[in-house]
């Protein structure tokens, strides 16, 4: 918390402006990292459109991913903007770079943070109000019969090769899932995990497993996240929860994944208005979930989804910018 506070103060000192800045300035060129997951891809396209049409920037998208983008920003000063940086996994490195003045925090992109946990369909939660936590669910394998062996309960794992596969497996071990009559189902891929939820919904069947937000699936299907039976223990997380071969995991909880916009010093130097926008702009998981569901249903790309958002939800994005900027953006739609 102290590290975040220090980072925030430093960012504020560089980003601090009196009121909302005007767009009447020469913004220059800006490069924006279009990271390779849906919410980040859409947010990058929204930023590009607003910076170009509202602030007169020459904005362009460049391919990106979390660690390569951060390394490039700190070592080369490019790209200028990373709209959706999930910072928990390397917070110390980011805070060090902020302290050195190589990058700066902008807005908290996801205002309620990234969310991970074990979920059940809401229709199941309403039918079984006694199932409120992971521990509650793990006491009742009969409520979540496996399609392969109905005598066993099923817990759907995170996709293979993802970090959450390790943590979900360790949660399963900590709750003694096998001893209690459950099997951990390997979904193979993100598509496989999504498909298992869709199939359960189509047939109004029980489902228990790992998922996260924001995602298109949670925009399409009403799911309820189960409570944790303890509070987040960072020491235990580092010791065992996130370590694949740790033999004795303890019951733990996921913590909120903090997701920030990161920028280089060039942004504030080039345009106080653009910097103020990037310090202000953020949205909730509920908004993003529904937007990503629209993207998936329409098979739209990031640019088309950004335009749909800007056209259909001015009540959200006009709060991010001054009135004169909002009018310019609207005129360009």
């Amino acid at each position: 918390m102290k590290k975040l506070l220090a980072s925030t103060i430093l960012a504020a000192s560089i980003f601090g402006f009196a009121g909302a800045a005007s767009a009447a300035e020469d913004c220059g060129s800006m490069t924006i990292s279009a990271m390779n997951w849906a919410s980040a891809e859409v947010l990058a396209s929204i930023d590009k459109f607003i910076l170009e049409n509202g602030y007169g920037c020459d904005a362009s998208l460049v391919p990106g991913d979390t660690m390569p983008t951060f390394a490039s920003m700190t070592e080369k000063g490019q790209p200028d903007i990373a709209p959706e940086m999930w910072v928990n996994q390397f917070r110390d490195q980011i805070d060090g770079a902020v302290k050195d003045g190589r990058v700066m925090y902008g807005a908290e992109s996801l205002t309620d943070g990234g969310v991970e946990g074990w979920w059940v369909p809401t229709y199941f939660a309403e039918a079984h109000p006694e199932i409120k936590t992971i521990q509650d669910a793990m006491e009742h394998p009969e409520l979540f019969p496996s399609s392969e062996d109905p005598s066993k309960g099923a817990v759907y794992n995170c996709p293979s090769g993802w970090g959450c596969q390790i943590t979900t497996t360790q949660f399963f071990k900590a709750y003694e899932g096998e001893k209690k009559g459950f099997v951990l189902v390997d979904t193979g891929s993100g598509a496989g995990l999504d498909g298992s939820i869709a199939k359960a919904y189509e047939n109004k069947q029980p489902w228990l497993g790992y998922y996260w937000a924001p995602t298109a699936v949670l925009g399409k299907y009403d799911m309820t996240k189960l409570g944790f039976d303890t509070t987040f223990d960072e020491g235990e997380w580092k010791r065992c929860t996130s370590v694949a071969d740790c033999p004795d995991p303890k019951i733990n909880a996921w913590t909120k994944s903090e997701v920030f916009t990161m920028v280089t010093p060039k942004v504030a130097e080039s345009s106080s208005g653009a910097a103020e926008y990037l310090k202000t702009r953020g949205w909730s998981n509920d908004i993003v979930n529904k937007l990503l569901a629209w993207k998936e249903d329409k098979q739209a790309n990031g640019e088309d989804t950004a335009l749909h958002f800007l056209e259909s939800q001015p009540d959200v994005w006009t709060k991010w910018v001054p009135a004169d900027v909002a009018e310019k953006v609207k005129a360009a739609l």
Side-chain angles (χ1 to χ4, degrees):
M1 183 59 69
K2 290 181 180 177
K3 291 178 182 177
L4 177 57
L5 179 60
S7 303
T8 304
I9 291 172
L10 178 58
S13 68
I14 299 173
F15 278 120
F17 309 106
S22 169
E25 55 185 319
D26 181 16
C27 177
S29 63
M30 296 274 183
T31 50
I32 306 169
S33 177
M35 299 198 182
N36 57 0
W37 59 91
S39 57
E41 175 195 6
V42 173
L43 189 55
S45 291
I46 290 170
D47 287 345
K48 180 178 186 294
F49 194 92
I50 289 178
L51 290 173
E52 282 184 336
N53 296 286
Y55 293 97
C57 303
D58 178 14
S60 59
L61 300 180
V62 296
D65 202 348
T66 303
M67 293 306 295
T69 293
F70 174 72
S72 182
M73 291 177 80
T74 55
E75 296 170 10
K76 303 176 183 178
Q78 289 286 335
D80 300 300
I81 303 160
E84 190 181 299
M85 187 73 77
W86 292 57
V87 304
N88 284 26
Q89 60 182 314
F90 60 119
R91 185 46 147 299
D92 290 345
Q93 292 172 259
I94 289 181
D95 284 341
V98 170
K99 184 177 180 180
D100 294 342
R102 289 177 288 160
V103 293
M104 290 164 282
Y105 282 104
E108 193 167 11
S109 312
L110 298 174
T111 54
D112 42 6
V115 178
E116 295 181 274
W118 286 16
W119 306 68
V120 296
T122 297
Y123 57 76
F124 176 89
E126 291 172 346
H128 296 275
E130 74 280 7
I131 306 296
K132 293 182 171 62
T133 69
I134 295 175
Q135 183 69 60
D136 293 338
M138 297 301 284
E139 296 299 326
H140 293 281
E142 76 281 0
L143 295 179
F144 307 95
S146 166
S147 59
E148 298 295 325
D149 180 359
S151 70
K152 301 283 188 180
V155 175
Y156 289 85
N157 204 345
C158 172
S160 301
W162 295 14
C164 49
Q165 184 186 36
I166 295 173
T167 54
T168 303
T169 299
Q170 294 297 61
F171 267 68
F172 185 82
K173 287 160 60 176
Y175 280 102
E176 300 182 314
E178 186 174 348
K179 180 179 178 181
K180 291 179 179 177
F182 281 87
V183 292
L184 190 59
V185 179
D186 180 6
T187 56
S189 65
L193 181 60
D194 293 354
S196 71
I197 295 175
K199 182 178 179 181
Y201 244 84
E202 288 169 6
N203 297 291
K204 286 293 182 284
Q205 294 174 336
W207 189 94
L208 170 65
Y210 170 87
Y211 215 74
W212 75 101
T215 52
V217 162
L218 293 186
K220 293 173 68 173
Y221 304 113
D222 191 3
M223 301 287 286
T224 296
K225 184 165 74 73
L226 295 175
F228 300 117
D229 302 286
T230 186
T231 56
F232 175 69
D233 184 333
E234 184 176 6
E236 175 61 19
W237 186 273
K238 291 178 178 179
R239 181 194 77 83
C240 197
T241 308
S242 60
V243 179
D245 58 354
C246 180
D248 61 337
K250 305 296 188 294
I251 290 176
N252 206 344
W254 270 278
T255 188
K256 168 187 172 182
S257 295
E258 294 184 297
V259 185
F260 281 86
T261 296
M262 303 301 301
V263 300
T264 63
K266 174 190 167 185
V267 174
E269 294 164 3
S270 300
S271 169
S272 60
E276 180 70 10
Y277 160 71
L278 293 166
K279 174 190 166 188
T280 304
R281 184 265 297 117
W283 50 4
S284 69
N285 281 330
D286 184 57
I287 292 171
V288 181
N289 288 339
K290 291 173 182 175
L291 184 62
L292 296 184
W294 181 92
K295 179 180 186 296
E296 185 173 281
D297 286 343
K298 301 296 183 182
Q299 298 185 332
N301 59 24
E303 181 181 1
D304 289 341
T305 307
L307 290 173
H308 170 72
F309 167 76
L310 292 168
E311 290 169 349
S312 63
Q313 299 194 59
D315 57 314
V316 176
W317 67 263
T318 54
K319 296 175 183 176
W320 301 342
V321 297
D324 62 325
V325 173
E327 290 305 313
K328 290 181 180 181
V329 173
K330 288 177 181 179
L333 290 171

